[in-house]
Amino acid sequence: MRGKITKEAVEALKPGEIISDTNPTGFVARCQPSGKISYFYRYRDKKTGKKYWLGLGVHGDITPKRARELAAARAGEVAGGTNPLMEQQSQREEAQIAEKAADNTVDAVLDDFVKRHAQKLRSGDQVKRAFDDYVRPEIGDRSIYGLKRNEITKMLDKVEDKAGPVMADRVLAHVRKAFNWQAARDDDFSSPIVRGMARTKPKERARKRVLADDEIRDVWTALQSAELPECYRRYVKSLLLTATRRNEAADMSSIELEGDTWTIPGERYKNKLDHVVPLTAQARALIGEKPEGFRGNAWFVFSTTGGDKPFSGFSKCKKALDKQIAKIRKDEKREKMARWTLHDLRRTARSLMSRAKVPADHAERVLGHVIGGVRETYDRYEYLDEKRDALEKLAGLVDLILNPPANNVFRLEEARG
């Protein structure tokens, strides 16, 4: 029915009844079957000719006067060529997108990726450190839906300046995997990473760095003089004397030690097989005793928390170590030491074993490389004596490098072969 919408008229409506007002035209009050009375503005879109009902509010929440004011405002919008209902939907969609974006920052995605995927990998700790050290400080608070390629590029530029192009490519690989993982779970996300962002070619990423004798001496000297945790000094030396990888040594637990052998369990070794490392006297001296006050049965050997957790401050300590090496060389008026990584010590150990006349297949077994491929049966103690001999020769050569007899220089030259 037609009439003026007033409080009395509206409250007299019965379920299903409607009042159509003419001020403005299209302003209506409708009593729903439930008895609830709602205000609407009815209009026709000028462009499409389609009719719309735009809700203005519920009687009781707003007054008839306020509903009339809202209807007049919407009528003005329609007269100006705007479709107010479509505008409201668009605003709601934008608000939903904004709310979703706030919940999907790069930090949030990385957290989820690490929790659900990366922490299950053997390289999980490395992935997490790369995110923490290089990604989160630069783009962590950015929404993944607004992330631009140039932001990824700028982040990689900083990684390259700070840690070199190879590290930049490693960070890129980790972030690419995380973003692809997210894209597979999120219809609205498309990764901004594209081909051509890498800083090196695959062949260039294969490092060949081996420390020279004077560089080994510089590392040992700097380890003693730099401000470093005591466990880090022992840890770095162990990398060379056991030829193990960074995380394998960092996570060494007392439960893995038995007499003069260290068994790295397959679940945290690269080839997924248990790897037994014979410990020389030099290596055993780096392990130390049970931390004072530790009440458990198994403790982490290299720890700044009294054995409770394995050492993890790699980046900070490596910077302090490099700074001390640079100081030593500057004071002695020598050239700067070329960039090196902790993993280079493993490669250096392999080179030193060759210098010490260790048979190649024995040296490869020390590094955990299974000769001839993975067999159906695997004896963890196979070639244990040969590996022990190889590591004894390695330790002896390292001692000779660190303490070259002044009157027997020829012995070092002879060791070089």
Side-chain angles (χ1 to χ4, degrees), residues 262-297:
W262 166 31
T263 302
I264 306 174
E267 57 264 25
R268 68 181 195 85
Y269 200 70
K270 187 171 184 179
N271 63 16
K272 297 184 179 180
L273 300 172
D274 290 354
H275 179 62
V276 179
V277 182
L279 297 172
T280 63
Q282 294 88 330
R284 290 198 302 273
L286 299 173
I287 291 175
E289 302 296 331
K290 181 177 180 179
E292 185 177 352
F294 189 86
R295 296 183 178 180
N297 295 322

mmCIF file of all heavy atoms in Angstrom, residues 262-297:
data_model
loop_
_atom_site.group_PDB
_atom_site.id
_atom_site.type_symbol
_atom_site.label_atom_id
_atom_site.label_comp_id
_atom_site.label_asym_id
_atom_site.label_seq_id
_atom_site.Cartn_x
_atom_site.Cartn_y
_atom_site.Cartn_z
ATOM 1 N N TRP A 262 81.522 -41.718 17.382
ATOM 2 C CA TRP A 262 80.334 -40.861 17.370
ATOM 3 C C TRP A 262 79.441 -41.346 16.242
ATOM 4 O O TRP A 262 79.864 -41.353 15.091
ATOM 5 C CB TRP A 262 80.756 -39.407 17.170
ATOM 6 C CG TRP A 262 79.651 -38.453 16.797
ATOM 7 C CD1 TRP A 262 78.338 -38.519 17.165
ATOM 8 C CD2 TRP A 262 79.767 -37.276 15.984
ATOM 9 N NE1 TRP A 262 77.628 -37.462 16.639
ATOM 10 C CE2 TRP A 262 78.482 -36.682 15.915
ATOM 11 C CE3 TRP A 262 80.833 -36.668 15.326
ATOM 12 C CZ2 TRP A 262 78.241 -35.511 15.184
ATOM 13 C CZ3 TRP A 262 80.594 -35.503 14.608
ATOM 14 C CH2 TRP A 262 79.321 -34.937 14.540
ATOM 15 N N THR A 263 78.242 -41.787 16.565
ATOM 16 C CA THR A 263 77.306 -42.282 15.554
ATOM 17 C C THR A 263 76.227 -41.244 15.299
ATOM 18 O O THR A 263 75.401 -40.957 16.176
ATOM 19 C CB THR A 263 76.650 -43.602 16.000
ATOM 20 O OG1 THR A 263 77.673 -44.574 16.254
ATOM 21 C CG2 THR A 263 75.725 -44.123 14.901
ATOM 22 N N ILE A 264 76.236 -40.685 14.100
ATOM 23 C CA ILE A 264 75.200 -39.722 13.709
ATOM 24 C C ILE A 264 74.022 -40.521 13.171
ATOM 25 O O ILE A 264 74.157 -41.247 12.179
ATOM 26 C CB ILE A 264 75.715 -38.758 12.625
ATOM 27 C CG1 ILE A 264 77.016 -38.089 13.082
ATOM 28 C CG2 ILE A 264 74.660 -37.703 12.304
ATOM 29 C CD1 ILE A 264 77.668 -37.222 12.009
ATOM 30 N N PRO A 265 72.854 -40.456 13.805
ATOM 31 C CA PRO A 265 71.715 -41.268 13.361
ATOM 32 C C PRO A 265 71.233 -40.875 11.970
ATOM 33 O O PRO A 265 71.323 -39.716 11.565
ATOM 34 C CB PRO A 265 70.651 -40.985 14.423
ATOM 35 C CG PRO A 265 71.036 -39.678 15.032
ATOM 36 C CD PRO A 265 72.533 -39.619 14.969
ATOM 37 N N GLY A 266 70.720 -41.871 11.256
ATOM 38 C CA GLY A 266 70.293 -41.645 9.878
ATOM 39 C C GLY A 266 69.240 -40.575 9.715
ATOM 40 O O GLY A 266 69.187 -39.902 8.686
ATOM 41 N N GLU A 267 68.394 -40.373 10.755
ATOM 42 C CA GLU A 267 67.323 -39.379 10.591
ATOM 43 C C GLU A 267 67.854 -37.961 10.497
ATOM 44 O O GLU A 267 67.135 -37.060 10.082
ATOM 45 C CB GLU A 267 66.312 -39.470 11.738
ATOM 46 C CG GLU A 267 66.882 -39.317 13.119
ATOM 47 C CD GLU A 267 67.158 -40.657 13.770
ATOM 48 O OE1 GLU A 267 67.363 -41.639 13.042
ATOM 49 O OE2 GLU A 267 67.154 -40.720 15.010
ATOM 50 N N ARG A 268 69.091 -37.740 10.865
ATOM 51 C CA ARG A 268 69.632 -36.399 10.698
ATOM 52 C C ARG A 268 70.931 -36.400 9.879
ATOM 53 O O ARG A 268 71.729 -35.471 9.971
ATOM 54 C CB ARG A 268 69.814 -35.705 12.047
ATOM 55 C CG ARG A 268 70.855 -36.229 12.989
ATOM 56 C CD ARG A 268 70.870 -35.407 14.285
ATOM 57 N NE ARG A 268 72.054 -35.627 15.100
ATOM 58 C CZ ARG A 268 73.204 -34.991 14.928
ATOM 59 N NH1 ARG A 268 73.327 -34.089 13.963
ATOM 60 N NH2 ARG A 268 74.248 -35.225 15.705
ATOM 61 N N TYR A 269 71.099 -37.464 9.084
ATOM 62 C CA TYR A 269 72.256 -37.508 8.190
ATOM 63 C C TYR A 269 71.778 -37.483 6.753
ATOM 64 O O TYR A 269 70.722 -38.017 6.423
ATOM 65 C CB TYR A 269 73.091 -38.769 8.458
ATOM 66 C CG TYR A 269 74.510 -38.655 7.936
ATOM 67 C CD1 TYR A 269 75.405 -37.791 8.549
ATOM 68 C CD2 TYR A 269 74.936 -39.373 6.835
ATOM 69 C CE1 TYR A 269 76.703 -37.655 8.082
ATOM 70 C CE2 TYR A 269 76.228 -39.255 6.356
ATOM 71 C CZ TYR A 269 77.108 -38.387 6.973
ATOM 72 O OH TYR A 269 78.386 -38.238 6.505
ATOM 73 N N LYS A 270 72.563 -36.879 5.880
ATOM 74 C CA LYS A 270 72.102 -36.574 4.524
ATOM 75 C C LYS A 270 71.695 -37.811 3.738
ATOM 76 O O LYS A 270 70.685 -37.800 3.030
ATOM 77 C CB LYS A 270 73.178 -35.802 3.764
ATOM 78 C CG LYS A 270 72.718 -35.288 2.412
ATOM 79 C CD LYS A 270 73.738 -34.362 1.800
ATOM 80 C CE LYS A 270 73.225 -33.782 0.485
ATOM 81 N NZ LYS A 270 74.189 -32.854 -0.125
ATOM 82 N N ASN A 271 72.488 -38.905 3.833
ATOM 83 C CA ASN A 271 72.145 -40.095 3.049
ATOM 84 C C ASN A 271 71.162 -41.020 3.766
ATOM 85 O O ASN A 271 70.898 -42.127 3.310
ATOM 86 C CB ASN A 271 73.405 -40.867 2.654
ATOM 87 C CG ASN A 271 74.161 -41.414 3.865
ATOM 88 O OD1 ASN A 271 73.633 -41.481 4.966
ATOM 89 N ND2 ASN A 271 75.414 -41.810 3.642
ATOM 90 N N LYS A 272 70.636 -40.550 4.938
ATOM 91 C CA LYS A 272 69.622 -41.265 5.712
ATOM 92 C C LYS A 272 70.138 -42.577 6.308
ATOM 93 O O LYS A 272 69.344 -43.431 6.712
ATOM 94 C CB LYS A 272 68.373 -41.530 4.862
ATOM 95 C CG LYS A 272 67.678 -40.257 4.396
ATOM 96 C CD LYS A 272 66.403 -40.559 3.648
ATOM 97 C CE LYS A 272 65.719 -39.265 3.209
ATOM 98 N NZ LYS A 272 64.456 -39.535 2.474
ATOM 99 N N LEU A 273 71.447 -42.750 6.340
ATOM 100 C CA LEU A 273 72.059 -43.923 6.947
ATOM 101 C C LEU A 273 72.838 -43.498 8.189
ATOM 102 O O LEU A 273 73.391 -42.398 8.226
ATOM 103 C CB LEU A 273 73.013 -44.610 5.960
ATOM 104 C CG LEU A 273 72.405 -45.118 4.646
ATOM 105 C CD1 LEU A 273 73.515 -45.587 3.711
ATOM 106 C CD2 LEU A 273 71.416 -46.239 4.909
ATOM 107 N N ASP A 274 72.894 -44.352 9.199
ATOM 108 C CA ASP A 274 73.725 -44.058 10.365
ATOM 109 C C ASP A 274 75.173 -43.891 9.906
ATOM 110 O O ASP A 274 75.675 -44.676 9.083
ATOM 111 C CB ASP A 274 73.663 -45.201 11.374
ATOM 112 C CG ASP A 274 72.309 -45.290 12.064
ATOM 113 O OD1 ASP A 274 71.475 -44.398 11.837
ATOM 114 O OD2 ASP A 274 72.090 -46.262 12.811
ATOM 115 N N HIS A 275 75.840 -42.880 10.432
ATOM 116 C CA HIS A 275 77.223 -42.610 10.030
ATOM 117 C C HIS A 275 78.101 -42.607 11.281
ATOM 118 O O HIS A 275 77.873 -41.830 12.207
ATOM 119 C CB HIS A 275 77.319 -41.263 9.323
ATOM 120 C CG HIS A 275 78.710 -40.898 8.912
ATOM 121 N ND1 HIS A 275 79.442 -41.644 8.024
ATOM 122 C CD2 HIS A 275 79.507 -39.848 9.260
ATOM 123 C CE1 HIS A 275 80.628 -41.088 7.838
ATOM 124 N NE2 HIS A 275 80.696 -39.996 8.585
ATOM 125 N N VAL A 276 79.083 -43.504 11.306
ATOM 126 C CA VAL A 276 79.974 -43.618 12.455
ATOM 127 C C VAL A 276 81.257 -42.850 12.188
ATOM 128 O O VAL A 276 81.911 -43.050 11.163
ATOM 129 C CB VAL A 276 80.307 -45.094 12.757
ATOM 130 C CG1 VAL A 276 81.256 -45.189 13.961
ATOM 131 C CG2 VAL A 276 79.036 -45.874 13.040
ATOM 132 N N VAL A 277 81.599 -41.962 13.113
ATOM 133 C CA VAL A 277 82.805 -41.147 13.012
ATOM 134 C C VAL A 277 83.780 -41.564 14.112
ATOM 135 O O VAL A 277 83.495 -41.358 15.293
ATOM 136 C CB VAL A 277 82.479 -39.644 13.158
ATOM 137 C CG1 VAL A 277 83.760 -38.814 13.003
ATOM 138 C CG2 VAL A 277 81.427 -39.212 12.157
ATOM 139 N N PRO A 278 84.915 -42.190 13.752
ATOM 140 C CA PRO A 278 85.926 -42.479 14.772
ATOM 141 C C PRO A 278 86.501 -41.163 15.296
ATOM 142 O O PRO A 278 86.795 -40.260 14.517
ATOM 143 C CB PRO A 278 86.988 -43.280 13.997
ATOM 144 C CG PRO A 278 86.301 -43.745 12.751
ATOM 145 C CD PRO A 278 85.299 -42.687 12.426
ATOM 146 N N LEU A 279 86.637 -41.043 16.598
ATOM 147 C CA LEU A 279 87.106 -39.800 17.199
ATOM 148 C C LEU A 279 88.583 -39.908 17.548
ATOM 149 O O LEU A 279 88.981 -40.773 18.338
ATOM 150 C CB LEU A 279 86.289 -39.468 18.447
ATOM 151 C CG LEU A 279 84.796 -39.209 18.218
ATOM 152 C CD1 LEU A 279 84.070 -39.082 19.548
ATOM 153 C CD2 LEU A 279 84.589 -37.962 17.363
ATOM 154 N N THR A 280 89.372 -39.053 16.965
ATOM 155 C CA THR A 280 90.784 -38.996 17.298
ATOM 156 C C THR A 280 90.948 -38.341 18.664
ATOM 157 O O THR A 280 89.995 -37.764 19.216
ATOM 158 C CB THR A 280 91.557 -38.188 16.249
ATOM 159 O OG1 THR A 280 91.059 -36.834 16.271
ATOM 160 C CG2 THR A 280 91.367 -38.767 14.846
ATOM 161 N N ALA A 281 92.156 -38.391 19.196
ATOM 162 C CA ALA A 281 92.404 -37.748 20.491
ATOM 163 C C ALA A 281 92.122 -36.259 20.408
ATOM 164 O O ALA A 281 91.566 -35.659 21.345
ATOM 165 C CB ALA A 281 93.858 -37.984 20.911
ATOM 166 N N GLN A 282 92.466 -35.641 19.263
ATOM 167 C CA GLN A 282 92.227 -34.210 19.086
ATOM 168 C C GLN A 282 90.721 -33.914 19.078
ATOM 169 O O GLN A 282 90.272 -32.908 19.637
ATOM 170 C CB GLN A 282 92.883 -33.710 17.791
ATOM 171 C CG GLN A 282 94.399 -33.767 17.783
ATOM 172 C CD GLN A 282 94.932 -35.098 17.289
ATOM 173 O OE1 GLN A 282 94.288 -36.141 17.453
ATOM 174 N NE2 GLN A 282 96.120 -35.057 16.689
ATOM 175 N N ALA A 283 89.944 -34.773 18.433
ATOM 176 C CA ALA A 283 88.495 -34.561 18.372
ATOM 177 C C ALA A 283 87.846 -34.809 19.725
ATOM 178 O O ALA A 283 86.952 -34.062 20.148
ATOM 179 C CB ALA A 283 87.884 -35.478 17.312
ATOM 180 N N ARG A 284 88.295 -35.845 20.428
ATOM 181 C CA ARG A 284 87.718 -36.138 21.752
ATOM 182 C C ARG A 284 87.970 -34.993 22.730
ATOM 183 O O ARG A 284 87.140 -34.698 23.592
ATOM 184 C CB ARG A 284 88.306 -37.440 22.316
ATOM 185 C CG ARG A 284 87.864 -38.692 21.604
ATOM 186 C CD ARG A 284 88.108 -39.935 22.468
ATOM 187 N NE ARG A 284 89.509 -40.071 22.828
ATOM 188 C CZ ARG A 284 90.423 -40.686 22.076
ATOM 189 N NH1 ARG A 284 90.070 -41.211 20.901
ATOM 190 N NH2 ARG A 284 91.683 -40.788 22.489
ATOM 191 N N ALA A 285 89.101 -34.321 22.576
ATOM 192 C CA ALA A 285 89.421 -33.208 23.475
ATOM 193 C C ALA A 285 88.452 -32.048 23.301
ATOM 194 O O ALA A 285 88.323 -31.197 24.195
ATOM 195 C CB ALA A 285 90.852 -32.736 23.220
ATOM 196 N N LEU A 286 87.763 -31.995 22.169
ATOM 197 C CA LEU A 286 86.831 -30.898 21.895
ATOM 198 C C LEU A 286 85.443 -31.166 22.467
ATOM 199 O O LEU A 286 84.614 -30.260 22.539
ATOM 200 C CB LEU A 286 86.719 -30.673 20.380
ATOM 201 C CG LEU A 286 88.015 -30.294 19.647
ATOM 202 C CD1 LEU A 286 87.784 -30.265 18.152
ATOM 203 C CD2 LEU A 286 88.526 -28.941 20.133
ATOM 204 N N ILE A 287 85.169 -32.386 22.853
ATOM 205 C CA ILE A 287 83.825 -32.746 23.299
ATOM 206 C C ILE A 287 83.560 -32.263 24.720
ATOM 207 O O ILE A 287 82.490 -31.750 25.032
ATOM 208 C CB ILE A 287 83.633 -34.274 23.189
ATOM 209 C CG1 ILE A 287 83.608 -34.657 21.702
ATOM 210 C CG2 ILE A 287 82.340 -34.704 23.874
ATOM 211 C CD1 ILE A 287 83.547 -36.140 21.455
ATOM 212 N N GLY A 288 84.535 -32.399 25.585
ATOM 213 C CA GLY A 288 84.342 -31.922 26.941
ATOM 214 C C GLY A 288 83.548 -32.888 27.803
ATOM 215 O O GLY A 288 83.151 -33.977 27.376
ATOM 216 N N GLU A 289 83.303 -32.488 29.027
ATOM 217 C CA GLU A 289 82.600 -33.306 29.992
ATOM 218 C C GLU A 289 81.135 -32.890 30.101
ATOM 219 O O GLU A 289 80.712 -31.892 29.523
ATOM 220 C CB GLU A 289 83.280 -33.191 31.366
ATOM 221 C CG GLU A 289 84.742 -33.592 31.380
ATOM 222 C CD GLU A 289 84.944 -35.064 31.057
ATOM 223 O OE1 GLU A 289 84.025 -35.856 31.366
ATOM 224 O OE2 GLU A 289 86.013 -35.419 30.505
ATOM 225 N N LYS A 290 80.391 -33.662 30.862
ATOM 226 C CA LYS A 290 78.986 -33.345 31.122
ATOM 227 C C LYS A 290 78.898 -31.976 31.797
ATOM 228 O O LYS A 290 79.629 -31.699 32.750
ATOM 229 C CB LYS A 290 78.376 -34.409 32.025
ATOM 230 C CG LYS A 290 76.898 -34.181 32.348
ATOM 231 C CD LYS A 290 76.372 -35.334 33.192
ATOM 232 C CE LYS A 290 74.898 -35.134 33.533
ATOM 233 N NZ LYS A 290 74.367 -36.264 34.336
ATOM 234 N N PRO A 291 78.026 -31.091 31.294
ATOM 235 C CA PRO A 291 77.906 -29.744 31.869
ATOM 236 C C PRO A 291 77.586 -29.802 33.366
ATOM 237 O O PRO A 291 76.769 -30.613 33.807
ATOM 238 C CB PRO A 291 76.756 -29.109 31.080
ATOM 239 C CG PRO A 291 76.718 -29.872 29.798
ATOM 240 C CD PRO A 291 77.122 -31.270 30.145
ATOM 241 N N GLU A 292 78.240 -28.962 34.110
ATOM 242 C CA GLU A 292 78.028 -28.921 35.549
ATOM 243 C C GLU A 292 76.582 -28.546 35.870
ATOM 244 O O GLU A 292 76.038 -27.583 35.338
ATOM 245 C CB GLU A 292 78.982 -27.900 36.184
ATOM 246 C CG GLU A 292 78.930 -27.877 37.694
ATOM 247 C CD GLU A 292 79.938 -26.909 38.289
ATOM 248 O OE1 GLU A 292 80.774 -26.373 37.522
ATOM 249 O OE2 GLU A 292 79.889 -26.681 39.508
ATOM 250 N N GLY A 293 75.968 -29.330 36.705
ATOM 251 C CA GLY A 293 74.588 -29.053 37.101
ATOM 252 C C GLY A 293 73.543 -29.661 36.184
ATOM 253 O O GLY A 293 72.345 -29.573 36.473
ATOM 254 N N PHE A 294 73.968 -30.287 35.078
ATOM 255 C CA PHE A 294 72.992 -30.882 34.158
ATOM 256 C C PHE A 294 72.428 -32.157 34.773
ATOM 257 O O PHE A 294 73.176 -33.052 35.181
ATOM 258 C CB PHE A 294 73.653 -31.190 32.816
ATOM 259 C CG PHE A 294 72.675 -31.601 31.741
ATOM 260 C CD1 PHE A 294 72.032 -30.649 30.976
ATOM 261 C CD2 PHE A 294 72.396 -32.942 31.520
ATOM 262 C CE1 PHE A 294 71.113 -31.031 29.990
ATOM 263 C CE2 PHE A 294 71.487 -33.332 30.547
ATOM 264 C CZ PHE A 294 70.852 -32.363 29.780
ATOM 265 N N ARG A 295 71.116 -32.281 34.829
ATOM 266 C CA ARG A 295 70.488 -33.398 35.527
ATOM 267 C C ARG A 295 70.030 -34.515 34.598
ATOM 268 O O ARG A 295 69.722 -35.612 35.045
ATOM 269 C CB ARG A 295 69.297 -32.887 36.336
ATOM 270 C CG ARG A 295 69.685 -31.906 37.449
ATOM 271 C CD ARG A 295 68.473 -31.500 38.253
ATOM 272 N NE ARG A 295 68.845 -30.593 39.337
ATOM 273 C CZ ARG A 295 67.975 -30.077 40.204
ATOM 274 N NH1 ARG A 295 66.678 -30.392 40.109
ATOM 275 N NH2 ARG A 295 68.384 -29.253 41.144
ATOM 276 N N GLY A 296 69.945 -34.240 33.311
ATOM 277 C CA GLY A 296 69.477 -35.267 32.384
ATOM 278 C C GLY A 296 70.564 -36.267 32.042
ATOM 279 O O GLY A 296 71.699 -36.191 32.518
ATOM 280 N N ASN A 297 70.209 -37.226 31.170
ATOM 281 C CA ASN A 297 71.162 -38.256 30.753
ATOM 282 C C ASN A 297 71.831 -37.925 29.429
ATOM 283 O O ASN A 297 72.896 -38.462 29.127
ATOM 284 C CB ASN A 297 70.437 -39.602 30.626
ATOM 285 C CG ASN A 297 69.919 -40.098 31.962
ATOM 286 O OD1 ASN A 297 70.581 -39.941 32.978
ATOM 287 N ND2 ASN A 297 68.729 -40.679 31.968
#
